[in-house]
Amino acid sequence: PVEFQPIDNISEMLAALERGEAHFAAAGLTLTPQRQAALLAGPTYQTVTEDIVCHDNTLVDALDDLPKIRLLVSAGSSYEERLRALQADWPTLTWESSAELTTEQILQAVWEHKTDCTLVDSNIFQVHRRYFPELRLAFSLENPQSLAWLLPKTHGRLLESMETWFEGMRDDGRLASLLDRYYGFTVDFDAWDTKVFLKRVGDRLPLYEKYFREATAETGLPWELLAAVSYQESHWQPDARSMTGVEGMMMLTRKTAASLGVTDRRDPRQSIMGGARYLKQMLDRMPAHIPMPSRLWMALAAYNVGYYHLRDARSLTVQFDKNPNRWADVQTVLPYLSKPRYYRNLKHGYARGLEPVIFVKRVRHYYDLLRFGPQYRQPATATVQVDSAPLLLKAVDNTP
C-alpha cells in the first residue's frame, strides 16, 4: 500500500523530502541543477518546454519584453530558478511569486487580467488553455526540461527499483497509454472552436440538459459525455442533417434510429435517448477485458465508424505488433482502414479511419470542458487544493 501525503507547495515538499519524511515526491517536478544537487532523480517520464503564457491582449513576443510586464509564478518552483538564471542577461527582469496560488490558478489570474503573464510547463498549459481560450503562448524558452520523481540521497536502492519499474512501463506501453489518457486529446487545440463551445454551453445546452440527464438515468453514461457526443455531432441543433442522411441531435441513421425506437430523429429527446442507447450498446459490445478508459474511447470510435470497422482496426493493430486493447495503439492504426494496401485484406473493407480518431479527440475535449471548464471555477484569489497539487509518496513501512 502507498500512503499519499499532499503538501501545500513545492518548497515545503522538497524540504520535507530532504528531511527524509517521505521516500519520494511525484509532482510534475522539473530536474533543475539545484534539485539534482540536493536530491536523487528518477528516470525522465516526460519532456516539456517552459512557456511564457499571456492574455491575448498582452503584447509579449520575446525575452526583451519581459522586464516591461507583470509576471507571476509559483513560489519555490522551477520557474523561479529559471527566472533567476535569466536575470544574468536581463538585470531589470522582475516577477512576483505566490506561495498560495497553484500554477493552474495563476493561469486563471492571467486570464482574469490580474497579471500579465506567467511561466508554465508546456504540458500544464496544454491542458488548461482549453479552459481559458483567451490565453496564448507568447514564446517558449530554450532547452526542453525533463520531469521526474525525486528521492532523498539516502534512497539509492529505491532508485534502482524505480528505474526498473519505469523501464517496464515504457516497454509494455503503459507509460505511453497514461500520457495519451491525460494529454492525447489536448494536442489539436482550436481557440475559436473552444470559445464558441463555451458560449453554447450557456445559451444552448440548458435547453437540452434535462434530456441528457434523463438518458444518464437510463444508460448510466455520464450526461456530460452524452452532451459532448451530441455537440460534436450536431452542435446541439435538433434539425441538423448531413449529406449522408444522418439527422438530429445525435446524428442517427434512419436504420439505427428505427432499431432504437426513435420515430422522429429531429425530436431532441428521442434523438438523445436513442443516441445514448446506441453508445451504451457499443460499450457493452466491447470485450470486457479491455480496461477503462480505453474501452470507452473504443466505444466512441465504434459509435462513429461502426463496430465491425473498429474490430478490423483492432485486428490490424495486432498485425502491427501493438496492443488491440489499448486506445493509444488502436487510434494510430485506424487511419489505415482507408488505405487500399490494408482495407483490401480486411473483413469489412474500406472505412474513413481518421474520422473516428478525430471524433474521439473532440468528444474527449468537450467532455473535459463540461466537467472542469471555467463555468465551475472560483476566482483565482483563494487558496484552493486541486487534483494536481504536489504529492509526497511514502511507503507504509520504512523499507527504502
Side-chain angles (χ1 to χ4, degrees):
V2 181
E3 179 185 334
F4 294 83
Q5 295 183 2
I7 300 295
D8 288 339
N9 61 61
I10 290 176
S11 295
E12 291 181 15
M13 180 188 61
L14 296 179
L17 198 62
E18 288 188 52
R19 293 194 297 268
E21 295 177 8
H23 289 109
F24 64 97
L29 297 167
T30 303
L31 295 186
T32 67
Q34 183 176 327
R35 291 172 182 176
Q36 288 181 287
L39 299 161
L40 296 176
T44 296
Y45 62 81
Q46 196 171 5
T47 301
V48 301
T49 59
E50 290 178 316
D51 295 342
I52 296 293
V53 173
C54 308
H55 195 279
D56 270 343
N57 298 334
T58 305
L59 298 179
V60 173
D61 297 301
L63 280 167
D64 289 338
D65 299 321
L66 292 187
K68 308 169 190 174
I69 55 97
R70 296 174 301 162
L71 192 63
L72 177 64
V73 298
S74 297
S77 65
S78 60
Y79 312 134
E80 277 202 301
E81 196 170 328
R82 174 59 77 98
L83 291 172
R84 282 193 289 270
L86 290 174
Q87 273 184 325
D89 295 316
W90 283 270
T92 58
L93 174 63
T94 61
W95 62 90
E96 181 184 352
S97 302
S98 173
E100 302 209 346
L101 296 178
T102 65
T103 300
E104 292 83 353
Q105 288 175 304
I106 290 175
L107 283 170
Q108 185 175 347
V110 175
W111 180 64
E112 294 172 346
H113 290 288
K114 293 176 180 175
T115 188
D116 295 324
C117 301
T118 188
L119 180 59
V120 61
D121 284 344
S122 55
N123 61 326
I124 298 176
F125 179 52
Q126 185 177 318
V127 171
H128 289 84
R129 65 181 177 177
R130 299 169 308 114
Y131 307 143
F132 310 118
E134 290 80 11
L135 297 182
R136 72 177 181 91
L137 169 63
F139 60 91
S140 298
L141 301 183
E142 295 181 356
N143 302 324
Q145 304 293 304
S146 297
L147 303 185
W149 295 347
L150 297 179
L151 311 83
K153 288 282 191 181
T154 55
H155 286 6
R157 285 173 52 201
L158 179 57
L159 176 60
E160 293 176 7
S161 298
M162 189 180 290
E163 289 169 343
T164 301
W165 184 81
F166 265 104
E167 184 178 355
M169 289 282 286
R170 285 194 183 88
D171 289 348
D172 67 10
R174 282 179 293 161
L175 183 57
S177 183
L178 278 171
L179 290 173
D180 174 77
R181 177 175 180 178
Y182 292 102
Y183 301 104
F185 65 102
T186 67
V187 176
D188 302 321
F189 174 71
D190 184 327
W192 175 252
D193 175 74
T194 300
K195 289 178 185 179
V196 172
F197 174 77
L198 293 174
K199 178 180 182 298
R200 289 174 177 169
V201 167
D203 60 28
R204 285 190 190 175
L205 181 57
L207 301 174
Y208 309 110
E209 183 176 330
K210 60 184 177 182
Y211 302 136
F212 292 120
R213 291 184 180 275
E214 185 180 345
T216 290
E218 178 179 316
T219 64
L221 297 171
W223 77 265
E224 299 98 332
L225 176 68
L226 299 174
V229 171
S230 179
Y231 185 82
Q232 173 58 25
E233 292 285 36
S234 68
H235 284 197
W236 297 324
Q237 297 181 94
D239 58 352
R241 190 177 192 277
S242 79
M243 295 178 63
T244 58
V246 295
E247 288 186 8
M249 293 278 287
M250 304 295 277
M251 284 298 208
L252 302 174
T253 65
R254 191 181 301 276
K255 181 179 179 180
T256 299
S259 72
L260 296 164
V262 175
T263 58
D264 181 358
R265 288 181 289 168
R266 296 198 175 194
D267 178 271
R269 181 183 178 278
Q270 286 195 48
S271 182
I272 290 169
M273 297 301 291
R277 292 178 195 131
Y278 185 59
L279 180 57
K280 182 64 162 57
Q281 287 179 9
M282 294 300 102
L283 185 61
D284 290 343
R285 293 182 78 177
M286 293 298 128
H289 59 266
I290 299 178
M292 284 294 212
S294 286
R295 191 159 168 244
L296 178 57
W297 309 148
M298 289 190 204
L300 285 170
Y303 183 100
N304 176 265
V305 77
Y307 176 78
Y308 291 106
H309 286 306
L310 179 73
R311 267 200 359 189
D312 280 348
R314 293 183 64 235
S315 298
L316 197 56
T317 303
V318 175
Q319 294 178 38
F320 284 149
D321 200 26
K322 295 185 177 183
N323 189 339
N325 301 323
R326 183 177 292 135
W327 173 246
D329 289 348
V330 174
Q331 70 173 341
T332 66
V333 175
L334 269 163
Y336 288 90
L337 299 188
S338 63
K339 298 180 182 293
R341 175 183 171 187
Y342 298 100
Y343 73 69
R344 285 172 183 159
N345 300 313
L346 295 175
K347 185 174 181 180
H348 300 94
Y350 171 86
R352 294 189 297 272
L354 182 60
E355 288 188 11
V357 176
I358 296 172
F359 177 84
V360 173
K361 281 186 178 181
R362 289 181 177 171
V363 169
R364 290 174 66 182
H365 169 61
Y366 299 136
Y367 178 37
D368 197 70
L369 283 173
L370 285 173
R371 290 187 299 163
F372 305 117
Q375 65 270 26
Y376 302 118
R377 290 179 173 260
Q378 300 177 10
T381 54
T383 301
V384 179
Q385 191 74 23
V386 296
D387 289 345
S388 54
L391 291 178
L392 274 175
L393 298 166
K394 179 179 179 181
V396 172
D397 62 21
N398 291 318
T399 305

